[in-house]
Amino acid sequence: MSTPFRHSLAADAPAAAPAARPAVFDALHRPNHSGIPKYRLVMNAIAEGIETGCWKPGERLPTEDELVLMTSFSLGTVQRALRLLVDQGLVVREHGLGTFVAPQQLRIQDPWHCRFLADDGESFLPVYSTMVSREAASGEGEWRRRFEAAAPVILIERTINIGNEFDVFTRFYFDKHVFPSLWDTPMEKLNGLNFKKQVTRELKVPITRIDHFVAMEAFEPDVAAHVKLPPYSQGIALQVAASMGPDRCIYYQKFFIPPTRRVLSIPDQLTD
């Protein structure tokens, strides 16, 4: 008995033309002597495309298969790059639909802290922030002595991505009565917000002093997880206390920075 012939319309349909390769991927087709892992090269190229407007907020990125063709790297490399971009809040993945540029811009414009020098030694790496949590501060710590005893102190936790190279975890403490918008604004709208500028905008007065304190510290497991280190790994703890007048603390912030070759530039508080 003969097997019936099954005609496939799909087989006769003309193949779709391959998508044009964006210019941000051109460097991936040249020899790489930088030592940067392939997944990081792909991630940086996509981030550059988002930054330069090749893909706009809400726009769908090429499919994983298309990215494999465009980059000449493996599917596993592409998928790892996309996972990291999701973790950093630059893209979102929707099951069955694809990967899309995050609808809001998460880059902090003109950051005051977390300014790491780029390879040219003059410009700074781009900084992107993503909210983790916002709640009433509790427990003990250096922050407590900075505020009046009765002050309703709020803690905001964020991850700050530095140039798509590494993450910094930060805890930002402020008086709810002094900066109500930081408490009332929906959390997703605080992504990419320059807190210092928001603070000075609400106060309408200058910050007169910013004290910085730097020390090596073993990161507790919850902190280490945010900066992708094993528990109790050593890193840099940067404390920042901003004041208005001689002794009124406006905000207190602590940054947890993993080991990095990048140079951190701490600005002149009086002129920058």
Side-chain angles (χ1 to χ4, degrees):
M1 180 177 179
S2 62
T3 303
F5 175 75
R6 295 183 181 179
H7 181 72
S8 172
L9 293 176
D12 293 340
R21 187 178 79 197
V24 292
F25 293 136
D26 288 350
L28 303 183
H29 294 265
R30 296 192 287 268
N32 171 36
H33 303 294
S34 67
I36 299 174
K38 291 180 180 179
Y39 72 91
R40 283 279 178 184
L41 294 174
V42 175
M43 184 184 69
N44 291 344
I46 295 174
E48 179 185 348
I50 294 172
E51 179 68 22
T52 57
C54 178
W55 299 291
K56 296 178 173 54
E59 187 174 342
R60 186 168 71 88
L61 294 180
T63 66
E64 292 179 354
D65 289 339
E66 288 173 332
L67 288 173
V68 167
L69 294 175
M70 291 175 179
T71 65
S72 77
F73 292 149
S74 69
L75 178 61
T77 296
V78 166
Q79 290 175 332
R80 186 173 183 183
L82 291 175
R83 284 197 299 271
L84 286 174
L85 289 168
V86 170
D87 291 342
Q88 294 166 8
L90 290 179
V91 304
V92 293
R93 308 195 77 174
E94 297 186 20
H95 183 67
L97 296 177
T99 304
F100 297 81
V101 179
Q104 66 236 356
Q105 186 58 261
L106 304 182
R107 181 169 180 176
I108 300 178
Q109 300 299 322
D110 189 25
W112 183 259
H113 308 296
C114 276
R115 306 196 316 174
F116 289 85
L117 291 176
D119 291 337
D120 60 13
E122 296 180 359
S123 61
F124 301 110
L125 294 173
V127 176
Y128 305 88
S129 74
T130 304
M131 291 284 291
V132 174
S133 65
R134 178 178 57 189
E135 61 188 5
S138 61
E140 299 299 324
E142 175 65 20
W143 66 271
R144 186 172 288 281
R145 76 176 186 86
R146 301 281 177 177
F147 298 93
E148 297 178 359
V153 180
I154 302 300
L155 165 62
I156 287 178
E157 294 185 328
R158 298 192 293 175
T159 56
I160 298 179
N161 177 261
I162 310 298
N164 300 305
E165 292 186 6
F166 60 94
D167 291 334
V168 171
F169 181 61
T170 178
R171 289 176 172 149
F172 183 89
Y173 298 85
F174 66 96
D175 187 327
K176 178 180 176 183
H177 290 164
V178 178
F179 306 117
S181 72
L182 291 180
W183 174 254
D184 296 332
T185 301
M187 276 185 52
E188 64 272 14
K189 295 193 178 206
L190 296 180
N191 290 322
L193 181 68
N194 185 318
F195 280 10
K196 172 186 168 282
K197 288 190 174 181
Q198 181 70 16
V199 164
T200 54
R201 189 180 301 119
E202 288 199 40
L203 287 177
K204 296 186 172 47
V205 293
I207 294 174
T208 57
R209 190 179 80 250
I210 300 182
D211 296 319
H212 297 85
F213 307 92
V214 182
M216 293 296 294
E217 185 175 306
F219 292 167
E220 296 290 332
D222 60 330
V223 172
H226 284 293
V227 296
K228 300 177 176 63
L229 289 177
Y232 305 109
S233 295
Q234 291 284 325
I236 301 169
L238 168 64
Q239 299 180 60
V240 180
S243 301
M244 180 180 68
D247 55 12
R248 184 181 179 187
C249 182
I250 298 303
Y251 66 79
Y252 171 80
Q253 193 163 194
K254 187 170 184 179
F255 298 85
F256 300 89
I257 305 169
T260 174
R261 68 181 179 86
R262 293 295 183 181
V263 175
L264 174 64
S265 172
I266 297 178
D268 184 333
Q269 59 181 305
L270 299 179
T271 61
D272 201 299

